[in-house]
Amino acid sequence: MPTRPSHRFEPLMPIAVGVTQLWGSMGAQNGQIDPYSPDTRVPLDVYGFALLSAGPPALLARRSHPVLALWVTTTATCAYVLAGYAYGPVFVSPVVAIVNAVLTGHRRAAWVASGVTFLFFAVYATWLIPIPAGWFHHVAVGAIILVVLTASEVLRVRRDQAVERERVAEEEARRQASEERLTMAQELHDVLGHSISLIHVQASTALHLTDEHPEQARTALVTIKQASKDVLTEMRSVLGVLRDGAPRAPTAGLDQLDELIQRAGPGVTKRVAGVPRDLPPGVDRAAYRIVQESLTNVHKHAPGARAAVTLEYGAKELRVRVDDTGPAGPGALTGEGGGDGIPGMRERAAALGGALTARPHQAGFRVDARLPIPPAAEDTG
């Protein structure tokens, strides 16, 4: 995996901290060294430079050994102050180490080290310098340490929230991908089931009429050709969503219903009640597939039967009804048999908050689906 940009420059931070501490401390001591003042600081020497240089290299291990880096920088800083050297940028190393310890999950070590540092400064400023500091000094030191710890905790919380949002987004993407795969499987089932059933019926018709009525057999063969062409087109559309960057758009809708009915033959009619209008993609696709699957069942279980497709556009729902005149054998169309047609249609309707019934009706069989239309779709209609 490529190196993250933030990690690529990590080795530069200890170098920057080291340069800041050395260069800044050399400048800071100019205003703190006064031989005539009882609280003068000690000029930097070899030991002082060594303590200033001890903290930054420890930061190189802040990722692999954050607690060790924290205590090395804290100890070096306390030793530097205890030796009497000038106050200044020497505190940069422990601040970086504290923030790093909190962000890497070692919060207790960060708070303990900060507490030890505060106690050290309280003792040092009270008993180990010529002019003891008052309560204001202790409060100021404690406030600075609390600010560093609080800022570290805020950064940690925000980072954890960002990680959680990313995790949730990834899970949502996986969930949507799973739903899309299920949708594609259902689409393929409907496309192949309808088209193969139609081809089978027309092929049987063609074989039956070849000798006695060749002109009618030709019509059946033309229907087979068109059906095979249509199924290939729809399969390419459905499978196209598997390609990277392909749009995930509905593969079929009610705008293709007339073609579907025409392919089904002269025994299928359509009636529309209400005012037709644009529907949400899910409702539009489900209505088309329900009609398609219903006509497929007619071809499979009641070949030669007449069928009537009715679309009723209501204020809050679309009603789809398919009635046929063919007999329905036990379990053939009721969803109690081994097929997935009726259960699949019920699942489509239920997924949209609707319902579907499939049962014998008068001299034939009826599929009746009610698909709710969301309010947003009603406003745009």
Side-chain angles (χ1 to χ4, degrees):
M1 294 180 63
T3 304
R4 293 177 59 182
S6 58
H7 291 175
R8 186 180 304 164
F9 300 103
E10 282 187 358
L12 298 180
M13 185 203 286
I15 297 176
V17 172
V19 171
T20 300
Q21 290 192 171
L22 291 171
W23 187 269
S25 297
M26 291 173 61
Q29 72 175 350
N30 293 333
Q32 301 181 44
I33 298 175
D34 184 1
Y36 302 102
S37 175
D39 59 347
T40 183
R41 307 305 293 177
V42 177
L44 285 170
D45 54 16
V46 175
Y47 180 63
F49 281 114
L51 290 175
L52 284 173
S53 303
L59 296 178
L60 290 171
R62 68 188 185 281
R63 297 296 181 187
S64 57
H65 302 88
V67 177
L68 176 62
L70 172 64
W71 284 109
V72 168
T73 56
T74 301
T75 302
T77 301
C78 291
Y80 175 90
V81 173
L82 187 63
Y85 297 112
Y87 300 115
V90 66
F91 304 110
V92 175
S93 290
V95 168
V96 173
I98 288 173
V99 174
N100 176 75
V102 173
L103 293 180
T104 53
H106 300 277
R107 300 171 59 209
R108 179 179 298 179
W111 282 85
V112 170
S114 299
V116 170
T117 302
F118 173 76
L119 291 176
F120 165 78
F121 276 100
V123 172
Y124 175 78
T126 303
W127 292 290
L128 302 180
I129 58 177
I131 303 178
W135 63 269
F136 180 80
H137 172 271
H138 304 327
V139 171
V141 171
I144 293 173
I145 293 176
L146 283 177
V147 167
V148 172
L149 287 169
T150 301
S152 303
E153 293 289 355
V154 170
L155 288 175
R156 179 188 63 81
V157 170
R158 289 187 175 181
R159 183 204 59 187
D160 292 347
Q161 289 176 342
V163 171
E164 178 65 15
R165 285 194 297 269
E166 183 178 353
R167 184 190 66 80
V168 171
E170 290 177 353
E171 289 185 355
E172 179 64 17
R174 287 194 293 268
R175 184 189 65 79
Q176 290 181 355
S178 298
E179 291 181 353
E180 288 167 358
R181 285 193 290 270
L182 290 174
T183 300
M184 286 187 287
Q186 195 171 31
E187 293 287 316
L188 285 174
H189 168 270
D190 294 343
V191 170
L192 293 175
H194 172 77
S195 299
I196 292 176
S197 296
L198 179 60
I199 291 172
H200 173 75
V201 171
Q202 295 296 334
S204 299
T205 301
L207 288 174
H208 179 71
L209 299 174
T210 298
D211 295 331
E212 298 180 2
H213 304 282
E215 66 285 353
Q216 296 182 16
R218 177 181 177 84
T219 301
L221 293 175
V222 170
T223 302
I224 292 174
K225 178 182 178 181
Q226 184 61 39
S228 61
K229 178 181 178 182
D230 292 340
V231 70
L232 289 175
T233 301
E234 285 210 58
M235 285 183 62
R236 291 192 188 100
S237 177
V238 173
L239 296 177
V241 301
L242 295 175
R243 302 189 183 96
D244 292 337
R248 285 169 168 76
T251 57
L254 291 179
D255 59 334
Q256 302 177 28
L257 184 60
D258 290 340
E259 298 177 11
L260 175 67
I261 292 176
Q262 184 178 4
R263 291 197 303 268
V268 180
T269 59
K270 183 185 80 168
R271 185 178 72 87
V272 178
V275 180
R277 60 186 187 273
D278 292 336
L279 300 171
V283 177
D284 188 63
R285 182 171 65 243
Y288 177 87
R289 292 305 186 193
I290 287 172
V291 174
Q292 185 183 57
E293 182 64 29
S294 299
L295 296 180
T296 298
N297 285 339
V298 174
H299 286 304
K300 289 166 56 177
H301 302 289
R306 301 182 64 83
V309 177
T310 303
L311 300 179
E312 295 182 7
Y313 289 85
K316 296 183 178 180
E317 70 175 12
L318 172 68
R319 185 176 183 183
V320 180
R321 192 171 68 248
V322 180
D323 297 298
D324 68 74
T325 60
L333 297 176
T334 61
E336 300 172 357
D340 296 326
I342 298 296
M345 288 192 289
R346 287 200 180 102
E347 290 174 3
R348 281 187 181 275
L352 297 171
L356 182 142
T357 59
R359 59 179 180 270
H361 177 72
Q362 295 180 357
F365 195 83
R366 167 175 288 182
V367 174
D368 191 356
R370 297 178 181 271
L371 307 177
I373 301 175
E378 296 172 26
D379 295 340
T380 58

